[in-house]
Amino acid sequence: MKIGDVIRFKRIEQGISQEDLAAGICTNSYLSRIENNHVTPDEEIYRLLLGKLGADYDQVIYDSVEIENDLDDWYAHLTKKTPLKKELSHYLNLENKLNQSLVIKYKIIYSRYLLTIREYDKSKEILDDVYNILPSLSSYEKFIFINTYVVCFTFLNKSEEAIRIFEEYTQDHNINYGSKEENGNLYYNIALCYKRIRSYKPCIEYAKKALYEYSDQYHLNRMVNTLILLGIAYNNIYEWDRSIKYYKQALHIVEQLQDFSDSIKLIIYNDLGYCSECQNSHYDAIKYYQSALTIHPDNYSVLSNLARTFYKIGDFTEAKNYLNKANHVMKPNEVDDLYIISNNLLSCLLFVEYKDMDEIFTILNTNFPLIIKNRIYEIIIFYSREFGAILEQHKFYKKSNELYKYAFDAYQNLLKGGEKNNV
């Protein structure tokens, strides 16, 4: 905060004209330049102007520094989880103590606080007001505003809006006004937004930038989340070697520190299993899936993945065992529909000897189009080939050829590295 801002704010607050304030001290034009921080006069002029406004120069300097330090401390607490130096109530009541030059900064930081207590709409309302005067903010104020705005849109599941605001900002500014951790957080949140709209290549670009910032500061928790995000993104463009590389890096950190949540470990083991399965490394996949089950024995997704993988190696007894367990623990409202669809098809394959062809066609026609619609190419290939062979064996050649064509088209898309689910 600059003294010229304080003088202008107090003069306007008291309804004093520039001419009256400047009288006997300096010219009107010189006062105007002081208030706009275009000149730095002798300390005596500052003292005279502030004295005329009923303020003490030394106290103004002290208060201004103290309050701005308080705001910076609060922001650091919200973004970096540092301890607060004062009670929170002190920060919540700062606005009535601020001059205009600090009000905007306060609003941005206060809106960040609102996000932590899930007052998302109220936070956005404040940020929308600040957005209208964005060009007038300082470079650092713009940075913390954009960072907070992106977090707000992320919580509101408005990923495309977050990306638009970010891209508008980066057309004219570099991301170099915050700390490395702040920069990393901004990059990570943008990567997360791209992941949510299923645009995985930009997701990878920004996740790598985030990882660079976090790695430089050894922010291990944030590194793990970013490595997992990279694993997810590479999995979704079918680059399983790279996906496995990042998941293993995350797993190494998690296993070394032993202070991560079980949910993080579960995600890593399950996703490593899936990537290994997609590479036809089925025994590696089983090992990872079973490691995931040691964390959560009743996880529907992991049980389903194990059932499918055991089927692929021809161990139908274990496949049936895990599929029955999955169906036993299934809670339809909590399970991804695509897992249910896949399990319906797998059940048909495992118990085909007990079903007639009419039932097979019913199950196939009900479930298979949804896998096609969602472009899960590796699953399309698997079920197309399995059902194609069954239909060919029973001389349903037209339908069999149709399924084989689905498998061929899906394989071509895998070779192109097409992004799954990007419809």
Side-chain angles (χ1 to χ4, degrees):
M1 179 179 61
K2 297 181 179 179
I3 299 176
D5 296 320
V6 177
I7 292 170
R8 183 178 69 250
F9 177 75
K10 288 186 175 296
R11 178 181 62 77
I12 294 171
E13 185 179 47
Q14 296 177 31
I16 300 173
S17 68
Q18 281 189 334
E19 182 179 7
D20 288 340
L21 180 58
I25 301 175
C26 61
T27 65
N28 292 353
S29 61
Y30 194 65
L31 175 58
S32 178
R33 294 172 68 195
I34 291 172
E35 290 186 347
N36 288 304
N37 299 300
H38 292 161
V39 295
T40 303
D42 292 337
E43 181 182 310
E44 184 60 25
I45 292 180
Y46 277 142
R47 288 184 180 278
L48 290 170
L49 291 170
L50 286 166
K52 205 169 183 179
L53 292 166
D56 177 71
Y57 172 80
D58 294 324
Q59 190 64 43
V60 166
I61 294 296
Y62 177 80
D63 288 345
S64 299
V65 171
E66 184 181 32
I67 290 173
E68 187 147 29
N69 286 342
D70 281 352
L71 287 175
D72 289 339
D73 180 44
W74 192 16
Y75 184 68
H77 169 72
L78 293 170
T79 58
K80 304 176 187 179
K81 310 303 180 186
T82 58
L84 281 168
K85 296 176 182 177
K86 296 183 179 179
E87 290 294 325
L88 187 60
S89 58
H90 171 80
Y91 297 101
L92 297 178
N93 295 301
L94 274 179
E95 187 169 12
N96 60 2
K97 302 177 183 179
L98 301 179
N99 62 69
Q100 194 61 38
S101 66
L102 280 179
V103 168
I104 298 303
K105 187 173 183 180
Y106 173 85
K107 285 184 175 181
I108 297 169
I109 297 171
Y110 178 62
S111 67
R112 187 64 177 255
Y113 163 76
L114 291 173
L115 293 177
T116 67
I117 60 172
R118 302 185 180 183
E119 294 280 353
Y120 305 135
D121 291 330
K122 187 175 179 181
S123 174
K124 184 177 180 298
E125 183 179 339
I126 294 171
L127 292 169
D128 286 343
D129 288 339
V130 177
Y131 181 66
N132 293 326
I133 58 168
L134 186 61
S136 66
L137 305 188
S138 69
S139 296
Y140 184 64
E141 286 171 343
K142 287 177 182 176
F143 174 80
I144 64 172
F145 168 78
I146 292 298
N147 216 328
T148 304
Y149 218 9
V150 166
V151 173
C152 181
F153 279 125
T154 303
F155 280 126
L156 291 169
N157 289 318
K158 295 184 177 181
S159 297
E160 292 179 347
E161 283 294 299
I163 292 168
R164 179 183 63 80
I165 293 293
F166 174 79
E167 289 180 345
E168 284 180 4
Y169 173 76
T170 52
Q171 284 176 359
D172 301 316
H173 303 84
N174 293 320
I175 306 298
N176 58 2
Y177 295 106
S179 66
K180 282 186 170 292
E181 186 174 2
E182 287 177 286
N183 295 343
N185 291 346
L186 181 54
Y187 287 135
Y188 176 84
N189 284 318
I190 288 298
L192 186 63
C193 288
Y194 274 115
K195 178 245 181 184
R196 287 179 175 175
I197 64 170
R198 300 170 179 175
S199 185
Y200 296 106
K201 290 176 182 177
C203 171
I204 290 168
E205 175 189 350
Y206 287 108
K208 284 183 174 179
K209 290 181 178 181
L211 186 62
Y212 173 81
E213 302 288 358
Y214 293 147
S215 299
D216 199 46
Q217 299 294 305
Y218 298 100
H219 291 300
L220 297 180
N221 283 311
R222 298 185 188 278
M223 284 174 63
V224 166
N225 289 331
T226 309
L227 289 165
I228 291 173
L229 185 58
L230 282 164
I232 292 170
Y234 275 116
N235 171 37
N236 277 274
I237 58 173
Y238 307 105
E239 294 191 27
W240 292 302
D241 282 335
R242 292 188 180 184
S243 183
I244 288 172
K245 167 191 165 184
Y246 286 111
Y247 280 127
K248 283 186 173 180
Q249 287 180 18
L251 184 61
H252 177 72
I253 296 173
V254 167
E255 290 180 336
Q256 290 294 315
L257 296 185
Q258 294 294 325
D259 61 352
F260 287 85
S261 68
D262 285 345
S263 61
I264 290 291
K265 297 175 187 176
L266 179 67
I267 289 169
I268 295 172
Y269 282 127
N270 185 58
D271 289 2
L272 275 169
Y274 185 73
C275 290
S276 299
E277 181 190 345
C278 290
Q279 291 187 314
N280 295 318
S281 300
H282 296 126
Y283 291 98
D284 285 341
I286 289 169
K287 178 187 71 174
Y288 286 126
Y289 287 143
Q290 289 180 333
S291 293
L293 279 190
T294 64
I295 297 168
H296 192 328
D298 292 332
N299 186 276
Y300 177 81
S301 301
V302 178
L303 291 167
S304 301
N305 289 338
L306 272 166
R308 186 179 59 249
T309 308
F310 273 111
Y311 178 92
K312 288 180 178 180
I313 64 172
D315 190 338
F316 301 134
T317 299
E318 282 295 89
K320 291 176 182 178
N321 178 38
Y322 280 110
L323 187 60
N324 286 333
K325 287 182 180 178
N327 290 333
H328 178 71
V329 302
M330 182 180 67
K331 298 177 181 178
N333 294 333
E334 300 176 9
V335 174
D336 190 322
D337 287 344
L338 289 173
Y339 269 105
I340 296 175
I341 292 163
S342 177
N343 280 2
N344 289 340
L345 293 168
L346 185 59
S347 293
C348 185
L349 292 174
L350 284 168
F351 301 105
V352 67
E353 62 268 30
Y354 303 114
K355 301 181 184 296
D356 59 31
M357 291 306 297
D358 286 340
E359 283 189 87
I360 291 176
F361 272 109
T362 298
I363 293 170
L364 187 61
N365 293 335
T366 302
N367 295 276
F368 193 75
L370 296 173
I371 293 177
I372 296 292
K373 178 183 177 182
N374 283 276
R375 301 183 184 182
I376 311 174
Y377 297 125
E378 64 275 21
I379 299 297
I380 293 171
I381 292 169
F382 169 62
Y383 284 117
S384 293
R385 287 175 174 173
E386 293 300 316
F387 280 102
I390 292 171
L391 295 177
E392 184 178 9
Q393 181 183 355
H394 288 81
K395 299 182 181 181
F396 291 93
Y397 299 119
K398 182 178 178 180
K399 186 65 175 178
S400 175
N401 287 336
E402 180 184 330
L403 291 173
Y404 288 144
K405 186 176 185 307
Y406 279 128
F408 177 80
D409 290 343
Y411 182 70
Q412 292 300 309
N413 276 294
L414 280 180
L415 293 179
K416 294 176 186 176
E419 297 181 3
K420 71 172 68 169
N421 298 335
N422 194 8
V423 293

